Structure formats: C-alpha cells, structure tokens
Amino acid sequence: MGTDVITIEVNNKKIEATPGEMLLTALRRAGIKVPTLCHMEDLSPTGACRLCVVEVAGQRSLVPSCAFPVNEGMKVQTHSPRVMRARKTVVELLLANHPDDCLYCVRNDNCQLREMACQLGVRERRYCGERNDYKVDISSPSIVRDPAKCILCGKCVRVCEEVQAVSAIDFIGRGRQAHVGTVFDQGLNVSRCINCGQCVMVCPTGALREQSHAKEVHAAINDPKKLVVVQHAPAVSVTLAEELGLKPGSDINGIMVAALRALGFDRVFDTSFTADLTIMEEASELVQRIRTGGKLPMFTSCSPGWIKYVEHFYPEFLGNLSTCKSPQQMMGAIIKSYYAKTNNLRPEDIFSASIMPCTAKKFEAQRQEMLKDGVADVDAVLTTRELARMIRLHGLDLNALQPDTADSPFGRRSTAGKLFGATGGVMEAAVRTAHFLLTGKDMDNPRLTDLRGLKAVKETKVTVAGVELGIAVVSGLSNAAKLLGEIKAGRSDLHFIEVMTCPGGCIAGGGQPLNGDVQAVRQRMQTLYNIDRDEHLRFSHRNEDVQRLYEEFLGKPLGEVSHHLLHTHYEQRPIGI
Amino acid sequence: MSAEDIEAVLARHPNGKRDSLIPILQEVQEVKGFLSNDVIVRIGQHLNLPPSKVYGVATFYNQFRFQAPGKFHVQLCRGTACHVKGSLGVLDAVKRHLKLEPGQTSRDGVFSLEVVACIGACGLAPVINVNGEFHARMTPKKVTEILDSYRSNAGDAKHD
C-alpha cells in the first residue's frame, strides 16, 4: 500500500508530509508559519478567510493551504511576493467595512485581525466599503454579539455545530447582507444557545464577547452598605496567570486571593469548598439511586451549558440529571443563608460575586430556580478574563502581592474539589466519596487514571463493596450526544456519567484566556493533577469545614435543609429555536 | 391548492436528507405563499436539521419569502435591460412610496415587494408585475401613480 510519508518542496526546501493531510498541517509541523483566521484544528476546513493562500507550482491561481491536500513532490511557495500581496489585500478587504474602533474594542490587546493587519504592514485604508447597520445583540445573559465586527470566518458557527451539537447560529442571507445570526434573526436569549461561550473562545475579533458584570461588581464594592463576598472556581487559579502574561499552567491561587482582597472584596471564599459539598450531596444521591432503584445512569449537573442542552434537546433525560445545584450555586445559597445568619446579616445586605471560567455561569446565576424570595443566590459572575481586566484596571502588581488564603468558613478544600476544574475531576472526586459512603473506608489509591487526560470520552468500571459501577466521563456536547444516543438505544451498563460542556472541562471553559492552545489546556490540567498528588486532604468527606457545616446547619446529605438549599429541578425548553 | 397541507409536501420526501431541503422549501412556498417560522421549524424536524440551518439556507436565496404576500404582490425587475433603462430609480421610488424593503409586506397587508431578476419582458423595460399584470416602461412618477390606483381599488380588488 502507499507510503506513510511523502516529500514536498516548500520554499525550495524538502519537508515531509502525510498522504491525505492538508497542506497547512504539513507546513505547520515543519514550523512554517502561514497565517489564517478561519482554520480550526480537527474541524472541517472551509477556506473562508483566504489568508492561508500559497503558490503551488502548476496551479493557475493561489490555493488555500488549509483545504488543499498534499501531493508527492509538489512545489510550494508560502511567502512569495504574489502570496504576500494577496494576503495583504485580503486583510485590507476585511477591513473595508470593519468599524475603526479598535481603541474602544474589548479585544484591542488580542485581536487576530488587528494582528494580521500589523504583520502584513497594512498602513492605510485602501478600500472603503459600505457598512451594514447591525444592532449589537445584548439579549443574552452570557454573550454579546456585535455583527459589525464579524469577518464571517464561520468559526463560531462550526464550533456551535460540530463541537457542541447545538447549532444556535448559522450564516444568514447572502453577499453583502450575509451575517451570522440565530434562526429568524432573533436575540440569542430566545435561541437554543446554551451560553457555553466556545464561540467567544474561537472568535478572532471583537464580534463575540462575554456579557460583563464588572460594573455591577465595582458598584457593590464601592457601596459601604454591602458586604461583598467573592468565590473563585477551581479552574481559575490555574488559568488567570496566562491572562496576565505568565506561563500556562502556573497556579497562582494565593496571589489571586491577595489580589481579590486588594480589589476590595470583603470576603474571599473558594468554590472548591462547595465542590466538596456538591460531592457529599451528589455521591449520596448516587448511592441512594442505586439502593432504591432510582433513575440511572445519573448525570452530573455542575456544568450549566450541559443542563440547558438537556432541557432543549434531551428532555427525556431530565430525570437522570443529579438534582444537586452546581458548586457556584451551592456557595451562593449557603452564603445568603447560613453565613448571613451566623453574621447577623440580611441576605440583601450581601453582594455575592463569583469568578468563573465560564460564560454559562452568568446564565445559571440568573435562572428562576436560583432565586429565593426574589433575591439571587449569586449576584454577579465574572469570567477569568474579566478578573484579569479588573486586576489591570487597578494596577495591581502580582509580584508585589503576598500570597494569602481564603476566608473561613468556606475557604478550606480537598484536592478532590480542586479537580472539578478538569474533565473527569468531578467523577474522580465523587467515586472517592461514594466508596467511603458504601464501605466506610477511604480508597487506598484514590487516583483514577482511566478518568484523566483530555480524551473526549473516558470510561471505566469501579467495584465498590461488591457493586460494579459503570462510569463514563464526557466533555464537548457532540460527544455527550453520541453517548446519549447509545443509552437511548438501550445501553444499560453505565451508572454515573460526568458531562462537561466544554472540551477538556472548565480549564478550557468559555470564560478562560483567549488564544490558548491545547498545549496550554494540557498544562493547566497537569497543574490540577499535581495539586492532587502533592497535598494531603484528598477526600471531600474529610474536609472538616464541610463536616462542620453539616453538624451546625445542614444536618445530613440529602436532608431537609440540603434539599431546600442545595438541590433544584430543571424544565423542558423548546427545541425549535 | 392553497388548502394543501405542509405535511403533504413532507410526505413526498419521506426519507429526506439535507439535499431535499431546497425542493421542500420551494414546494412549501408554492403551497403557503411564504415560509412562516413554524414551517421552518417543522421542515428542520423532518430533515433532522437545526432550524438555524434551514433559515440560513432559505435566506441565501432571493426566491424565498418570510412574510405573507400582500393583497397586491409587486414584482420589480432588476434584470440587465431594466437596469440599463433605470430600474434602480424605480425601485427607490417604490421603496419610498410603500415604505417597504424588498421581501417585506406592508402592515395593512395591502402591498408586498419582491425584487426579481429578468422576467423575460425586456422589451417593456423597466417593468413591474403586480399580481400577474405587467406594467411597462416605468418611471419613478408613473410607478407611484400605478401603485396608488391599486391602493384605491384595495377594497374590491380580487386577489388570487
């Protein structure tokens, strides 16, 4: 059969390529930088932006290298004058109807279009096109869309369809009228959008961004009547560093806590504490479902994009979702109940903010189910990016801050709670505690290697107290959809399934630093694993502050108070939008 | 013909895949006169396509309408001959006079406007067609008079 390696000639040098692969892939492997604004690793090439054009000997016109397969002996020029001229013109044409408001744009420090214009030496406006009068879509609680800044690369459309299997948006219209929008051109808030923010992560320009809560947070901090409480999610301390220019995978937990205090937050709590609490409730729920013949497999419920996905697309599985609120919402609920009571505060005197790797958390915090007597459990949600912006705004020098620890009583966490930040982490933590609940003993080796790593679907069997548990971990909703299909078709060997909306879990969430690659995600993941390896408190049920919370307030997992505060329900949503 | 149900159209494409989308859209519009939101969702369900995709494809083509046609459906030709003879000015006049953009239907339901490519009446350029009646050699002034005469007959005009 054919050889595994072929040779092609690029810029008069020989490089190796794999038969069938696209030219761009081979060029990148050889370290030859060809710019592109629309290419996405592992997704179908579209050749939309034309920036990756190269000259191939024998081809009359330039070809897009992202969509042109390699051939033995082909001769390629990647930076000839003709190619460079074409690329520059492409960018100039993209800029022809682009709003010139870079100074005010949220992406002014990391816009790929601006970077291209800079690299290609665009120094004047040669073309001036007519502009469409688009309205900014601010309807969504999570995501803001500004079609005027869109260059129609289609990355958001592809990620929404191919990675998340949602297809809330698509190209609408044709020619100069073409734009990306929802069905019937309505607001994102009434669409099937699950608010995951993966579109924001891939957008090369400022056309997509998060709905910012920074203003509300600043106002609360400056309001002397409010006690401003903040919680930070497990995945934030290992990604914030990148947004501030440090190495991917650096854990700056202590510095971040110090920075949060310096920003004016009165109390800093760790969402990993309520991750431990979630595990107490969720593992108990699993054990109860197994013992009493409840609905199985049980699905985790901490990823709010996944919850809305089930509500829209798989309402028949709503009963399989754990009734546990997410760690963010559990923290919000106990802050405005237990913490308020023990500190003689009214819930409305507390402003509860959270730092999340996620845009869907903004939606979750506003859900009807998460309000109590009209008061939200969580008042504002900031993404990792928004926190970095606040840190820059206040001119905080991270090198000058002394690492600090989170506040009692919700500051202590196990490493199991911290693992929530990566795909498979919730499952690993839950199995550790379920094992204890079923046997009364801790696992000798709590590290579940089968559930680790960036693989989209991970499965294993765990035998606890003579019961064999079928376990699966999925991230990326198109992968979840496949698994749901198998279960609908009769597959019954699974008891517990963790689903994270974003591929890789929260460390790659829609609120995380932009322009991070898979290598960065891997390093963030490794940092979480290292924390679990190096620290001693590795079981959620061994967290003494969680134990105390049960003694003083909650009673027992799945008890009356827990049921009231920490659990919720979900409802079917329409699919035809 | 107008009584035919959308389900009957879908029944003609029992195992339809995405390549059936455009024929289905055409047939449904033939029956219903336009593509309503409900229809777009229903077609998506039938073909197992997200409604955003169906809407995206339908809006790509000029032939599809998303509002019910008015009592008087005005087709204005923007083909080459009509263009040379000044159809752009005629279009502007119609848009201003009816306060409509192509593809829209007036709120009172009297007029709808559609821009079409050549309708094969180049000798009459610039030409419009209202409910099947051709009007030749339009000017901005003439076209507003014609539209006004339709409007004054709106009460008793027949519409098929």
Side-chain angles (χ1 to χ4, degrees):
Chain A
M1 298 307 287
T3 49
D4 291 343
V5 178
I6 59 175
T7 307
I8 63 175
E9 196 184 302
V10 181
N11 304 337
N12 309 319
K13 280 193 189 127
K14 295 215 175 347
I15 68 165
E16 290 184 340
T18 314
E21 72 180 347
M22 295 301 160
L23 183 51
L24 180 69
T25 315
L27 295 174
R28 286 196 167 172
R29 195 180 321 108
I32 299 163
K33 276 193 189 164
V34 170
T36 156
L37 287 172
C38 74
H39 179 69
M40 294 168 90
E41 249 10 273
D42 303 326
L43 296 193
S44 51
T46 55
C49 78
R50 315 310 283 185
L51 268 173
C52 70
V53 288
V54 294
E55 226 174 326
V56 173
Q59 293 289 325
R60 207 157 46 91
S61 48
L62 300 176
V63 301
S65 57
C66 71
F68 198 84
V70 290
N71 282 313
E72 174 72 49
M74 72 195 298
K75 290 186 167 59
V76 182
Q77 289 293 329
T78 62
H79 288 78
S80 67
R82 186 178 167 210
V83 166
M84 305 286 271
R85 210 164 43 240
R87 282 188 197 143
K88 188 173 176 186
T89 305
V90 164
V91 170
E92 286 177 315
L93 287 169
L94 285 175
L95 290 171
N97 68 348
H98 199 79
D100 279 339
D101 66 347
C102 300
L103 277 176
Y104 309 100
C105 183
V106 68
R107 290 289 297 273
N108 56 7
D109 61 347
N110 53 12
C111 171
Q112 293 172 19
L113 180 62
R114 188 196 55 75
E115 204 181 306
M116 283 301 135
C118 176
Q119 274 179 19
L120 292 163
V122 178
R123 286 288 168 260
E124 61 178 327
R125 183 180 274 282
R126 279 208 295 151
Y127 308 106
C128 204
E130 224 176 296
R131 296 190 190 165
N132 292 313
D133 185 20
Y134 290 119
K135 292 194 174 48
V136 180
D137 178 7
I138 55 164
S139 65
S140 159
S142 299
I143 295 162
V144 178
R145 294 190 318 120
D146 186 355
K149 292 182 181 168
C150 174
I151 57 166
L152 301 177
C153 69
K155 281 173 146 183
C156 54
V157 173
R158 273 180 286 158
V159 85
C160 195
E161 180 178 349
E162 295 181 37
V163 176
Q164 301 296 46
V166 171
S167 285
I169 47 175
D170 211 316
F171 288 106
I172 293 174
R174 171 163 62 168
R176 217 175 62 72
Q177 267 72 44
H179 60 280
V180 173
T182 63
V183 63
F184 316 132
D185 251 331
Q186 289 177 318
L188 209 52
N189 63 330
V190 291
S191 78
R192 49 163 73 180
C193 168
I194 54 155
N195 306 301
C196 71
Q198 285 301 308
C199 54
V200 179
M201 299 300 284
V202 297
C203 182
T205 73
L208 290 163
R209 60 177 189 264
E210 71 274 289
Q211 186 75 265
S212 179
H213 290 179
K215 217 169 157 182
E216 289 84 344
V217 171
H218 274 120
I221 286 175
N222 292 317
D223 182 346
K225 293 196 288 291
K226 292 269 188 199
L227 182 86
V228 186
V229 177
V230 68
Q231 54 170 311
H232 57 87
V236 176
S237 77
V238 298
T239 55
L240 178 66
E242 280 165 65
E243 192 66 21
L244 297 167
L246 302 172
K247 209 170 102 263
S250 316
D251 180 25
I252 55 165
N253 191 66
I255 305 267
M256 178 179 69
V257 172
L260 289 169
R261 288 198 210 290
L263 289 172
F265 290 104
D266 300 309
R267 301 284 181 279
V268 181
F269 295 138
D270 191 339
T271 313
S272 305
F273 167 86
T274 36
D276 283 336
L277 185 62
T278 304
I279 287 301
M280 294 301 290
E281 296 290 329
E282 202 159 8
S284 304
E285 187 184 355
L286 177 68
V287 169
Q288 190 190 51
R289 284 190 190 218
I290 291 171
R291 281 187 176 147
T292 62
K295 226 171 192 183
L296 291 170
M298 184 172 91
F299 293 112
T300 57
S301 58
C302 10
S303 188
W306 156 241
I307 297 291
K308 192 162 182 265
Y309 185 73
V310 177
E311 289 177 318
H312 279 295
F313 299 90
Y314 292 94
E316 64 272 31
F317 284 112
L318 281 170
N320 296 68
L321 286 171
S322 161
T323 59
C324 290
K325 288 184 183 174
S326 71
Q328 165 180 275
Q329 294 306 129
M330 284 199 183
M331 181 66 91
I334 58 171
I335 285 172
K336 292 214 177 173
S337 57
Y338 171 75
Y339 187 78
K341 210 163 90 187
T342 51
N343 289 276
N344 289 323
L345 292 161
R346 294 178 307 163
E348 48 270 43
D349 295 332
I350 299 177
F351 186 90
S352 184
S354 67
I355 316 291
M356 291 286 143
C358 184
T359 48
K361 287 282 167 194
K362 290 171 185 276
F363 162 78
E364 182 185 46
Q366 296 180 10
R367 286 184 70 114
Q368 205 59 37
E369 298 87 353
M370 304 297 171
L371 304 180
K372 196 160 166 288
D373 309 325
V375 179
D377 285 338
V378 175
D379 296 291
V381 179
L382 300 174
T383 59
T384 310
R385 296 189 293 269
E386 287 171 275
L387 174 61
R389 263 176 240 144
M390 270 182 90
I391 288 174
R392 284 194 289 263
L393 175 65
H394 286 254
L396 297 182
D397 177 1
L398 298 191
N399 296 317
L401 291 171
Q402 289 302 315
D404 204 346
T405 47
D407 286 300
S408 200
F410 313 136
R412 191 202 303 259
R413 57 141 180 86
S414 74
T415 60
K418 192 71 177 169
L419 284 177
F420 266 57
T423 164
V426 177
M427 183 58 78
E428 200 167 333
V431 169
R432 291 178 190 181
T433 292
H435 184 278
F436 173 76
L437 292 176
L438 287 165
T439 65
K441 283 189 297 218
D442 285 343
M443 295 169 86
D444 294 330
N445 179 16
R447 188 162 161 255
L448 297 168
T449 38
D450 288 348
L451 304 179
R452 295 194 168 190
L454 278 178
K455 242 175 84 188
V457 185
K458 297 170 274 190
E459 291 188 19
T460 191
K461 301 259 187 251
V462 183
T463 308
V464 187
V467 185
E468 191 185 61
L469 295 177
I471 280 168
V473 169
V474 199
S475 68
L477 293 180
S478 58
N479 303 314
K482 278 184 218 130
L483 193 60
L484 289 173
E486 288 173 25
I487 294 166
K488 267 171 103 163
R491 188 174 171 190
S492 61
D493 62 325
L494 293 171
H495 299 88
F496 192 20
I497 300 171
E498 177 204 296
V499 183
M500 287 296 151
T501 306
C502 298
C506 308
I507 44 174
Q512 294 286 34
L514 299 165
N515 304 340
D517 56 10
V518 68
Q519 208 47 43
V521 174
R522 204 165 274 136
Q523 279 159 329
R524 300 166 190 171
M525 186 174 232
Q526 191 54 49
T527 305
L528 291 177
Y529 293 155
N530 292 349
I531 291 170
D532 183 54
R533 182 194 62 202
D534 298 339
E535 293 183 17
H536 296 297
L537 179 55
R538 298 179 75 181
F539 299 94
S540 298
H541 53 272
R542 298 278 171 220
N543 184 333
E544 285 166 24
D545 286 339
V546 170
Q547 292 170 354
R548 186 173 314 117
L549 182 65
Y550 276 110
E551 278 160 29
E552 289 182 8
F553 182 60
L554 292 172
K556 58 181 192 339
L558 309 182
E560 173 83 28
V561 185
S562 287
H563 174 74
H564 190 60
L565 280 177
L566 308 183
H567 291 259
T568 186
H569 62 278
Y570 305 103
E571 269 163 33
Q572 184 169 358
R573 291 174 193 265
I575 190 166
I577 47 178
Chain B
M1 165 135 145
S2 61
E4 190 182 345
D5 195 29
I6 171 183
E7 296 301 331
V9 174
L10 297 179
R12 289 204 290 273
H13 303 266
N15 301 309
K17 299 219 169 58
R18 51 195 304 160
D19 53 356
S20 311
L21 176 56
I22 291 172
I24 290 178
L25 288 169
Q26 287 169 324
E27 288 170 42
V28 169
Q29 175 156 295
E30 185 78 7
V31 173
K32 295 276 184 189
F34 73 109
L35 302 172
S36 68
N37 293 2
D38 291 346
V39 157
I40 285 171
V41 171
R42 180 68 192 91
I43 293 172
Q45 283 169 346
H46 181 74
L47 295 177
N48 203 13
L49 284 174
S52 59
K53 182 102 1 206
V54 178
Y55 187 69
V57 169
T59 54
F60 184 87
Y61 296 100
N62 278 330
Q63 60 179 298
F64 296 116
R65 297 181 49 81
F66 302 92
Q67 291 183 13
K71 194 163 210 168
F72 301 112
H73 185 57
V74 181
Q75 289 184 317
L76 188 145
C77 181
R78 287 282 291 129
T80 311
C82 287
H83 175 74
V84 170
K85 293 290 221 172
S87 64
L88 188 60
V90 178
L91 175 61
D92 277 342
V94 173
K95 276 165 41 172
R96 260 201 315 277
H97 196 64
L98 299 181
K99 298 188 177 66
L100 284 183
E101 288 296 319
Q104 291 180 338
T105 301
S106 60
R107 291 222 172 157
D108 57 10
V110 176
F111 285 108
S112 52
L113 175 60
E114 182 185 0
V115 167
V116 293
C118 185
I119 45 178
C122 304
L124 309 176
V127 63
I128 66 165
N129 176 335
V130 182
N131 290 1
E133 293 174 15
F134 284 80
H135 299 271
R137 285 179 270 284
M138 286 295 105
T139 64
K141 187 162 176 294
K142 241 167 96 178
V143 81
T144 52
E145 286 166 11
I146 287 169
L147 293 173
D148 284 342
S149 71
Y150 276 106
R151 190 191 295 282
S152 55
N153 293 332
D156 50 72
K158 290 237 167 40
H159 167 56
D160 59 0

